[in-house]
Amino acid sequence: MKPKLSKVVQEQIQTPSPIRQIMKMAERSNIINMGLDPDDVISFGGGWVNHQAPELLRQKYLDICNDKERFHKTGAYSATLGDQRYRELLAEMETRLFGMKNIGPDNIIVGNSSTQLTYDMFLACAEPGEDVALLDPTYANYYGQMVFGLTDSGIVYDPGGPDRLKIRAEVAYLKVLDTENWTYMPDVDKTLADMEELFNLRRPRLMIVPSPDNPTSQIASQKFIEGAYEICEKYGSYLVIDFAYKTQYFGQYPEYYSWSPNDYPNMVSIHSNSKWARSLGRRGGWMEANPEIIDGMERVQQCSILCPDTMHQMAVVDYLEEALFDGSLASYLDKARQDYEKAAGVTLAAIDRHIGMPRLEPQGGLYTVVDIGRDGDEFVHDVLKNTGVLFIPGKGFGSTLKNAVRVSYGPMVHNLDKINEGMERAGSYL
Ligand SMILES: Cc1ncc(COP(=O)(O)O)c(C=O)c1O
């Protein structure tokens, strides 16, 4: 008999991520099939940064590779929690960059990426079948992670039964975009009242808030996080802040950036090297939480990855030992912030000039979302076919973005003319 794939995988294969689908559509062979020149395509699709990694970090990799003994060490397993010195330095980084006090290595687990840590977090912090609260719109990957992490195929689903057990968690969506006026959380008291209602009704085990957010590039306000934390405390839920873009704020960062997990035990924060150090392919991330959660995560991580990558940990430790204390990390981050803020400004000006539709002003990160007033999928296919300009349909991020697209300026941070050219091309066709 032919063995079968798991039920959840069979089902999820039928519903692939809409972002992946569109990126597939933009692959070279498909572009050629559309009669377009792939070299002429301008993509606002990529969710990645394109500034240089710190030169000193590159040097540290070289030094390791040039030293036979140390290179040999990169081939050893590290502790499941990650290297002790690395965890100390990450705590120090929070103190020096964000003024966080009362944080130490016991609050930190190092993983291979924030993607893996988020997935493991579902296993460590929630039960199969328990609901999860997500913002609408929000980062598209959480949904699949939740489905895989919180589906229990051992439980029989009885939709009609009085004590029905769910095989799968569901999302309790908190709407944060006002689609009438294209504003993000215009009335925080109202959003918090909606959240309270949602928690009262659905009792989600956790809520994830990315800040700065993907796809809107908004930073959750201090008032919202304070209110959300109180609600999570009241219902015994976790407030998970996805800080994948933490260092990429424009202007002033909010106070909760310095909240320690020892003072806020219901808070979990997830961090990544992908964006700040342009290390998307050199996989690395970490989680900050109270020691009890870190212990739970260690147990999960023993089974998911055994230990994080040793080579990247060694290189980042060597880098931070210098750059954190001589101020070069802070100036490197300042420069990156300025460059992305400039790219965001160019993008907004180009949208206003050539597209002329409502958009959000980024407060950090790599993106904005534009209300295009018609179905986003159709719009993206139409514009790509006719102009060779690629946007990402909004629907994959939530129902509020059905008639919208996500625009990423990250890949073009040092190619601002392309941003203008792309918007001009799309605008003149429209
Ligand atoms: C909000 C958010 N979280 C997490 C990730 C994934 O980060 P990592 O590379 O650490 O897996 C992304 C990637 O785009 C993201 O936008």
Side-chain angles (χ1 to χ4, degrees):
M1 238 166 65
K2 196 170 161 243
K4 286 188 189 135
L5 292 170
S6 72
K7 285 190 189 120
V8 62
V9 165
Q10 286 182 47
E11 183 209 72
Q12 287 297 303
I13 280 179
Q14 303 306 319
T15 48
S17 137
I19 298 169
R20 285 276 143 239
Q21 276 178 308
I22 208 79
M23 293 310 266
K24 267 193 181 165
M25 193 182 98
E27 278 170 8
R28 227 181 150 78
S29 53
N30 280 333
I31 295 287
I32 294 169
N33 283 344
M34 280 182 212
L36 295 166
D37 176 358
D39 296 330
D40 207 30
V41 168
I42 296 182
S43 171
F44 291 100
W48 38 280
V49 291
N50 210 5
H51 61 296
Q52 293 290 312
E55 175 55 18
L56 185 60
L57 176 62
R58 194 177 75 83
Q59 282 301 330
K60 295 301 180 191
Y61 277 97
L62 280 177
D63 292 349
I64 292 169
C65 291
N66 283 330
D67 181 331
K68 215 169 163 184
E69 192 96 329
R70 295 199 76 214
F71 182 75
H72 183 66
K73 279 195 180 146
T74 66
Y77 290 129
S78 85
T80 296
L81 282 175
D83 174 72
Q84 171 77 14
R85 183 64 188 146
Y86 189 23
R87 288 157 55 226
E88 285 166 9
L89 285 164
L90 290 171
E92 183 69 27
M93 186 165 150
E94 290 288 22
T95 307
R96 289 187 175 244
L97 295 182
F98 300 106
M100 191 184 290
K101 298 193 181 83
N102 193 15
I103 176 157
D106 291 352
N107 298 111
I108 295 176
I109 180 167
V110 178
N112 275 347
S113 63
S114 61
T115 302
Q116 170 252 320
L117 289 160
T118 306
Y119 185 73
D120 286 2
M121 182 269 301
F122 279 119
L123 304 183
C125 297
E127 303 296 338
E130 266 186 333
D131 290 350
V132 165
L134 297 180
L135 309 182
D136 183 351
T138 201
Y139 177 47
N141 222 11
Y142 301 141
Y143 178 73
Q145 291 176 315
M146 182 205 77
V147 169
F148 283 116
L150 300 184
T151 293
D152 183 347
S153 21
I155 298 176
V156 179
Y157 183 55
D158 175 11
D163 306 314
R164 83 183 176 115
L165 288 169
K166 286 193 299 178
I167 58 164
R168 116 104 50 101
E170 284 162 28
V171 179
Y173 283 109
L174 180 66
K175 189 179 162 202
V176 288
L177 182 71
D178 173 354
T179 46
E180 294 282 297
N181 302 301
W182 215 249
T183 44
Y184 192 85
M185 257 193 247
D187 182 348
V188 175
D189 290 324
K190 161 92 175 58
T191 306
L192 288 171
D194 292 347
M195 180 177 162
E196 169 91 46
E197 203 183 318
L198 206 64
F199 271 59
N200 192 18
L201 200 69
R202 305 276 296 272
R203 310 278 160 151
R205 175 62 73 98
L206 57 92
M207 179 162 96
I208 311 182
V209 179
S211 186
D213 175 47
N214 172 5
T216 64
S217 276
Q218 303 300 292
I219 293 184
S221 68
Q222 180 66 21
K223 182 172 172 180
F224 173 71
I225 293 294
E226 277 175 16
Y229 187 82
E230 252 178 51
I231 296 171
C232 286
E233 230 178 1
K234 178 170 161 190
Y235 289 93
S237 309
Y238 297 101
L239 178 62
V240 181
I241 305 188
D242 180 344
F243 272 135
Y245 304 85
K246 186 174 187 181
T247 65
Q248 280 151 318
Y249 57 87
F250 305 152
Q252 193 51 42
Y253 61 80
E255 195 199 311
Y256 65 85
Y257 268 42
S258 63
W259 281 7
S260 154
N262 291 324
D263 303 327
Y264 293 87
N266 289 48
M267 185 181 75
V268 170
S269 64
I270 299 178
H271 305 251
S272 171
N273 288 342
S274 294
K275 306 292 160 52
W276 74 265
R278 216 276 175 177
S279 292
L280 306 109
R282 291 179 288 271
R283 308 297 285 149
W286 72 97
M287 173 195 269
E288 295 170 15
N290 77 56
E292 198 189 331
I293 301 172
I294 298 297
D295 280 353
M297 283 292 292
E298 182 183 19
R299 185 66 191 93
V300 177
Q301 194 159 274
Q302 277 163 3
C303 299
S304 63
I305 60 166
L306 193 57
C307 71
D309 183 284
T310 302
M311 166 75 113
H312 301 319
Q313 289 186 81
M314 279 172 70
V316 180
V317 164
D318 290 357
Y319 169 72
L320 290 177
E321 291 282 15
E322 260 182 74
L324 198 50
F325 303 98
D326 68 9
S328 61
L329 170 65
S331 6
Y332 169 80
L333 294 175
D334 278 345
K335 168 80 172 73
R337 263 192 293 276
Q338 284 161 19
D339 290 348
Y340 286 96
E341 193 167 1
K342 188 167 171 199
V346 168
T347 307
L348 287 193
I351 292 170
D352 292 348
R353 183 141 168 239
H354 301 294
I355 315 279
M357 299 296 272
R359 79 303 186 265
L360 291 182
E361 184 164 342
Q363 296 173 342
L366 311 179
Y367 316 98
T368 183
V369 287
V370 185
D371 175 7
I372 36 107
R374 61 186 258 218
D375 182 81
D377 282 329
E378 268 174 41
F379 174 92
V380 168
H381 283 85
D382 181 20
V383 172
L384 178 61
K385 252 194 200 148
N386 289 290
T387 68
V389 176
L390 176 70
F391 297 104
I392 296 292
K395 202 173 64 187
F397 303 97
S399 60
T400 49
L401 293 185
K402 190 180 169 307
N403 291 328
V405 292
R406 184 189 76 176
V407 174
S408 171
Y409 45 83
M412 289 179 277
V413 64
H414 292 310
N415 204 349
L416 303 179
D417 289 348
K418 275 266 175 254
I419 297 179
N420 273 316
E421 191 189 327
M423 289 299 170
E424 191 180 347
R425 247 201 250 168
S428 50
Y429 166 69
L430 293 167

